[in-house]
């Protein structure tokens, strides 16, 4: 405890007025000098309630002062006491021996008294010192108890907080460990949350079944060898198949069979067309004969008509003979050349049909190939998606692994630091000190760092750091923080006031510029009217000034030419500025006029 606080406590003991509001740190400067320190220590150790005058004694002393009687003090009081002693010695006595004996007894008693007074003073000093020490110890004990209770409360709060955090951490770790445990799906515990925990047997079996079904489908639908394309995973084979490619028709037997089949089809087509033409001709001849018979049936009743009929038949037979000759001539001469020229045209329908069949087959194979290709793409896409999800999950697992390793390293470092602190606290040189040190131990690096942080950039370095220095620096920092907070509050208030004032000014400006509307008014009607009035008044003032200046000029000209007006002006000036001087001038003029009047009379 500082000396200033002890001084304030002593003042509180003797019931000094307003001692409760005094701060002990404000009186520390009194103990800087040796003289003041010794006196104040004696004052704090010896003065108590017995050295204070009571109210009755103070009232009696004040009554004595008010009575006006002289009060002896200091040296005067000592001289009076000496005279009293000498007067007592000069009194007539009856027996000098008794007087001497009495004086000796008085001296011995006085010595005993002085000795007892000295002993009493020493005892009082010792009692006051012990009481002062006991008070100091009591105050220190109370302060230590308060600090102990406060530190215990803080430690309990920190302990509960740390325990709660540890419980939360344990729960989180338990939940996290549930994800990584091998679960038993049959029991329904520890549900699977990671993709790597699921089994791929079902997926692989389904993929194998779909691949086998696809292979069987290709064997049924396509030619031999196409299933090898389906079973392979080479990307070059995922293409549309060309049916007319040379690789497919490398077999000569197949080509020869195809040529023979095409020749048979062409020959059959030609025969069919020949038969069709004969049938059409016979049909047309039959139709024409029937038509002719129907037309000439009613003419067969008369014989004359029979003769005409025979003549017509003979003529028709001759015409038929001619037509047959022409037909044979066409068959033998012109028709073979035409047939040779248009032989390819006869095969066009057959070729066209063959090409249509090939196109239909190509479309069929293309559709089947697209179906197979879509199925293969789906399988590959599902496999790549599964692979990508595994890679993403693996990357996340690696990230979590790194974070957990960093957390383990941090926990190890904090655990090591905690063990070091516990070792330092359990050190007997630190914990078991009979006389506690005021200075901070050089091994207490945390206290040194705290002092450096609190002290800041201070060029003056002290050799030893005390707890009092730490407390002073902390209080100074607290004061600085409070001062800065007050300044911040004041600046915030000023800022808010300035903003409110600025907003009001802006609102007033907007009201003046817009006047309750949405359009900006660059000129105010009231202001323009006032400006016009001011301009008219300025113009009038200018006219008045010009008139006044012209009048002044004319008056100056008159004054320069007429001395009587000059004298009149001077008289007016004296009348308004110096009346005494004007009176003197008037009296002088009156005397001069009287003298002139007397001279004229003489």
């Amino acid at each position: 405890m500082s000396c200033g606080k002890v001084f304030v406590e002593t003042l509180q003991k003797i019931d000094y007025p307003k001692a409760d509001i005094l701060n002990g740190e404000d009186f520390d400067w009194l103990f800087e000098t040796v003289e003041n320190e010794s006196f104040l220590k004696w004052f704090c150790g010896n003065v108590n309630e017995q050295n204070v005058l009571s109210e009755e004694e103070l009232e009696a002393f004040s009554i004595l002062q008010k009575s006006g009687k002289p009060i002896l003090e200091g040296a005067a009081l000592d001289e009076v006491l000496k005279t009293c002693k000498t007067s007592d010695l000069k009194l007539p006595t009856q027996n000098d021996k008794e007087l001497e004996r009495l004086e000796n007894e008085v001296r011995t008693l006085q010595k005993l008294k002085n000795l007892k007074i000295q002993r009493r003073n020493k005892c009082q000093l010792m009692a006051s010192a012990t009481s002062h020490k006991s008070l100091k110890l009591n105050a220190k004990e109370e302060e230590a108890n308060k600090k102990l209770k406060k530190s215990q409360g803080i430690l309990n709060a920190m302990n509960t907080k740390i325990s709660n955090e540890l419980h939360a951490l344990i729960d989180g770790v338990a939940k996290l460990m549930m994800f990584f445990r091998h679960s038993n799906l049959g029991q329904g515990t520890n549900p699977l949350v990671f993709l790597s925990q699921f089994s791929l047997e079902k997926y692989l079996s389904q993929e194998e079944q779909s691949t086998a079904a696809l292979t069987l489908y290709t064997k049924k639908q396509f030619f031999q060898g196409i299933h090898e394309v389906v079973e392979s995973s080479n990307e070059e084979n995922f293409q549309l198949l060309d049916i007319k490619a040379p690789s497919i028709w490398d077999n000569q037997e197949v080509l020869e069979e195809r040529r023979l089949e095409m020749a048979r089809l062409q020959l059959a087509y030609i025969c069919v067309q020949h038969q069709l033409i004969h049938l059409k001709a016979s049909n047309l001849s039959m139709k024409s004969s029937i038509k002719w018979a129907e037309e000439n049936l009613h003419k067969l009743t008369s014989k004359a008509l029979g003769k005409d009929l025979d003549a017509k038949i003979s003529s028709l037979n001759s015409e038929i003979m001619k037509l047959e000759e022409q037909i044979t001539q066409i068959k033998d001469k012109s028709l073979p050349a035409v047939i040779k020229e248009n032989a390819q045209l006869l095969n066009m329908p057959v070729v066209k049909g063959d090409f249509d069949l090939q196109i239909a087959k190509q479309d069929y194979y293309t559709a089947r190939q697209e179906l197979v290709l879509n199925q293969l793409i789906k399988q590959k896409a599902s496999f790549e998606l599964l692979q990508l999800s595994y890679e993403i999950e693996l990357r996340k697992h690696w990230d979590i692994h790194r974070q957990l390793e960093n957390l383990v390293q941090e926990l190890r470092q904090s655990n090591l630091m905690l063990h070091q602190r516990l070792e330092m606290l359990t050190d007997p040189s630190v914990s078991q000190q009979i006389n506690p040190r005021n200075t901070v131990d050089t091994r207490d690096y945390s206290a040194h760092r705290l002092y450096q942080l609190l002290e800041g950039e201070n060029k003056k370095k002290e050799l030893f750091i005390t707890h009092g220095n730490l407390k002073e620096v902390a209080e100074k920092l607290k004061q600085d923080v409070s001062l800065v907070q007050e300044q911040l509050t004041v600046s915030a208030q000023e800022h808010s006031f300035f903003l409110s004032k600025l907003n009001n000014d802006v609102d007033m400006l907007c009201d003046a510029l817009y006047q309750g509307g949405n359009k900006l008014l660059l000129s105010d009607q009231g202001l323009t009217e006032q400006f016009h009035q001011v301009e008219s008044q300025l113009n009038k003032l200018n006219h008045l000034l010009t008139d006044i200046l012209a009048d002044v000029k004319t008056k100056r000209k008159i004054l320069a030419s007429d001395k009587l007006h000059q004298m009149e002006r001077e008289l007016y000036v004296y009348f308004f500025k110096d009346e005494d001087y004007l009176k003197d001038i008037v009296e002088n003029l009156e005397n001069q006029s009287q003298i002139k009047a007397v001279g004229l009379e003489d």
Side-chain angles (χ1 to χ4, degrees):
M1 188 180 292
S2 62
C3 297
K5 290 184 178 179
V6 176
F7 179 69
V8 172
E9 289 179 357
T10 306
L11 293 176
Q12 292 176 357
K13 287 179 186 177
I14 62 175
D15 295 332
Y16 184 78
K18 297 182 180 180
D20 297 331
I21 62 175
L22 297 177
N23 190 5
E25 295 179 356
D26 297 335
F27 296 95
D28 289 338
W29 60 275
L30 294 173
F31 294 88
E32 292 179 357
T33 60
V34 180
E35 297 177 355
N36 293 336
E37 186 178 3
S38 61
F39 170 72
L40 291 170
K41 284 184 178 179
W42 174 84
F43 178 78
C44 295
N46 297 323
V47 175
N48 51 21
E49 296 86 352
Q50 297 177 359
N51 301 116
V52 181
L53 294 176
S54 63
E55 293 181 357
E56 296 176 355
E57 292 174 350
L58 290 173
E59 288 178 358
F61 184 72
S62 62
I63 292 166
L64 182 63
Q65 284 181 341
K66 291 177 181 179
S67 64
K69 294 179 180 180
I71 299 171
L72 298 176
E73 293 178 356
L77 182 62
D78 294 334
E79 289 178 359
V80 171
L81 290 173
K82 288 179 181 179
T83 54
C84 290
K85 289 178 181 179
T86 53
S87 62
D88 291 335
L89 291 173
K90 289 179 181 180
L91 290 172
T93 59
Q94 296 179 0
N95 195 353
D96 294 334
K97 291 180 180 180
E98 290 181 1
L99 185 61
E100 288 177 0
R101 185 176 59 79
L102 292 172
E103 286 177 355
N104 292 326
E105 289 178 359
V106 167
R107 289 192 190 97
T108 53
L109 291 172
Q110 191 69 30
K111 288 179 181 179
L112 290 171
K113 181 181 178 182
N114 292 330
L115 184 61
K116 289 181 180 181
I117 288 169
Q118 288 178 0
R119 289 179 179 175
R120 186 196 65 184
N121 292 330
K122 286 181 181 180
C123 292
Q124 286 180 354
L125 287 172
M126 291 174 68
S128 61
T130 52
S131 64
H132 180 63
K133 287 181 181 179
S134 65
L135 290 172
K136 282 185 177 180
L137 291 173
N138 290 327
K140 288 181 180 179
E141 185 179 1
E142 290 177 357
E143 189 175 359
N145 289 326
K146 289 180 181 178
K147 288 181 179 179
L148 182 61
K149 289 180 181 178
K150 188 176 180 181
S151 61
Q152 284 179 353
I154 293 168
L155 288 173
N156 290 327
M158 289 176 67
N159 191 11
T160 54
K161 185 178 179 181
I162 291 168
S163 63
N164 293 328
E165 290 179 355
L166 286 173
H167 285 302
L169 183 62
I170 289 167
D171 294 335
V173 171
K175 290 179 181 178
L176 186 62
M177 290 301 294
M178 287 174 64
F179 296 153
F180 295 99
R181 289 174 184 169
H182 296 288
S183 62
N184 189 3
L185 294 174
Q187 296 178 0
T189 58
N190 297 330
L192 301 176
V193 294
F194 295 114
L195 186 62
S196 59
Q197 294 176 344
F198 290 93
S199 178
L200 295 177
E201 293 179 357
K202 187 176 180 181
Y203 170 74
L204 294 174
S205 64
Q206 288 179 358
E207 291 294 323
E208 289 177 356
Q209 291 175 4
S210 63
T211 305
L214 190 63
T215 305
L216 183 62
Y217 178 78
T218 54
K219 286 180 180 180
K220 289 180 180 180
Q221 296 292 330
F222 301 108
F223 53 87
Q224 187 178 3
I226 195 73
H227 64 279
E228 297 177 357
V229 178
V230 176
E231 290 176 354
S232 64
S233 61
N234 191 2
E235 293 181 356
E236 295 178 355
N237 294 323
F238 291 99
Q239 297 175 359
L240 291 175
L241 190 65
D242 189 5
I243 302 298
K244 295 181 71 177
S247 61
I248 301 174
W249 306 107
D250 289 338
N251 195 354
Q252 295 295 327
E253 294 179 358
V254 176
L255 290 173
E256 190 66 27
E257 289 179 359
R258 184 170 176 75
R259 288 194 191 96
L260 292 173
E261 186 178 0
M262 286 296 295
R264 285 196 297 270
L265 288 173
Q266 290 175 1
L267 183 60
Y269 181 74
I270 291 169
C271 294
V272 169
Q273 290 293 327
H274 184 267
Q275 291 178 2
L276 182 63
I277 290 168
H278 279 287
L279 290 173
K280 283 182 179 181
S282 62
N283 192 12
L284 288 173
S285 65
M286 185 66 71
K287 285 181 180 180
S288 62
S289 62
I290 291 168
K291 186 178 179 181
W292 182 84
E294 287 177 355
E295 289 177 355
N296 295 318
L297 184 63
H298 64 280
K299 295 180 180 180
L300 296 175
T301 56
S302 61
K303 295 181 178 179
L305 291 173
K307 294 179 179 180
D308 294 331
L309 184 62
D310 294 332
K312 285 182 179 180
I313 289 170
S314 61
S315 61
L316 289 171
N317 288 324
S318 61
E319 288 178 1
I320 289 167
M321 293 296 290
K322 290 178 181 179
L323 289 172
E324 286 178 356
E325 290 177 357
Q326 290 176 359
I327 289 167
T328 55
Q329 188 177 0
I330 289 167
K331 285 181 178 180
D332 295 335
K333 293 181 180 180
S334 59
L335 186 61
V338 173
I339 289 170
K340 287 180 180 179
E341 291 178 358
N342 299 322
Q344 293 180 355
L345 296 175
L346 294 174
N347 296 325
M348 287 300 293
V350 177
V351 175
K352 183 178 179 298
D354 184 61
F355 281 122
D356 291 337
L357 180 61
Q358 290 183 7
I359 290 168
K361 288 182 179 180
Q362 183 70 37
D363 293 337
Y364 176 77
Y365 286 132
T366 303
R368 300 283 81 76
Q369 284 179 353
E370 287 181 353
L371 182 62
V372 173
L373 183 62
N374 292 327
Q375 188 65 28
L376 291 173
I377 289 170
K378 287 180 181 179
Q379 287 183 356
K380 188 174 182 181
S382 63
F383 179 74
E384 289 180 352
L385 179 63
L386 184 63
Q387 185 179 3
L388 182 62
S389 60
Y390 272 114
E391 289 177 357
I392 292 170
E393 187 173 348
L394 180 62
R395 187 172 295 176
K396 288 182 179 179
H397 284 324
W398 276 111
D399 293 335
I400 293 169
H401 179 68
R402 283 195 296 271
Q403 291 177 3
L404 289 174
E405 284 185 350
N406 294 328
L407 182 60
V408 168
Q409 292 293 331
E410 291 178 358
L411 289 173
R412 285 177 181 173
Q413 290 179 1
S414 62
N415 193 10
L416 182 60
M417 292 175 67
L418 181 61
H419 281 299
Q420 289 177 358
R421 289 180 182 176
L422 290 174
E423 288 177 358
M424 186 179 70
L425 291 174
T426 54
D427 190 1
S429 62
V430 177
S431 60
Q432 296 177 359
Q433 288 185 358
I434 300 171
N435 295 320
R437 297 173 60 183
N438 191 20
T439 59
V440 179
D441 193 1
T442 56
R443 292 174 294 177
D444 193 357
Y445 299 108
S446 60
H448 282 278
R449 287 197 295 272
L450 179 62
Y451 182 76
Q452 290 176 2
L453 290 172
L454 294 173
E455 189 181 17
E457 295 180 357
N458 190 3
K459 295 181 180 180
K460 185 180 177 181
K461 294 183 178 180
E462 296 182 359
L463 185 60
F464 296 103
I465 300 172
T466 61
H467 295 285
N469 293 332
L470 280 172
K471 189 175 181 181
E472 289 176 359
V473 176
E475 289 178 354
K476 185 179 178 183
L477 180 63
K478 185 177 179 181
Q479 292 177 0
D480 294 337
V481 169
S482 62
L483 182 62
V484 170
Q485 288 177 355
E486 290 176 358
Q487 290 177 358
L488 286 173
T489 54
V490 171
S491 63
Q493 290 176 0
E494 291 178 354
H495 184 65
S496 62
F497 177 72
F498 178 73
L499 285 176
S500 63
K501 188 176 180 182
L502 184 62
N503 290 324
N504 293 326
D505 294 337
V506 169
D507 294 334
M508 291 174 66
L509 181 61
C510 291
D511 294 335
L513 291 175
Y514 291 95
Q515 291 185 357
N518 295 323
K519 293 182 179 180
L520 180 64
L521 300 176
L522 297 176
S523 62
D524 191 5
Q525 295 180 357
L527 290 174
T528 51
E529 291 177 357
Q530 291 179 2
F531 279 129
H532 287 306
Q533 291 178 2
V534 170
E535 286 179 357
S536 62
Q537 290 177 1
L538 286 172
N539 292 324
K540 289 180 182 179
L541 185 62
N542 287 326
H543 288 301
L544 289 172
L545 287 173
T546 52
D547 295 337
I548 289 167
L549 290 173
D551 191 8
V552 168
K553 286 180 181 179
T554 53
K555 286 182 179 181
R556 283 180 178 175
K557 288 180 181 179
I558 292 168
L559 288 172
S561 60
D562 193 355
K563 292 183 179 180
L564 183 61
H565 284 87
Q566 288 181 1
M567 188 179 294
E568 185 179 359
R569 180 178 177 279
E570 289 177 356
L571 290 174
Y572 276 114
V573 170
Y574 295 147
F575 178 75
F576 286 107
K577 289 188 176 181
D578 196 354
E579 295 180 356
D580 296 331
Y581 185 65
L582 181 60
K583 287 180 182 179
D584 294 335
I585 291 171
V586 172
E587 287 177 356
N588 290 328
L589 290 174
E590 287 178 353
N591 292 327
Q592 289 177 5
S593 63
Q594 288 178 2
I595 290 168
K596 286 181 180 179
V598 172
L600 290 173
E601 289 178 358
D602 293 337

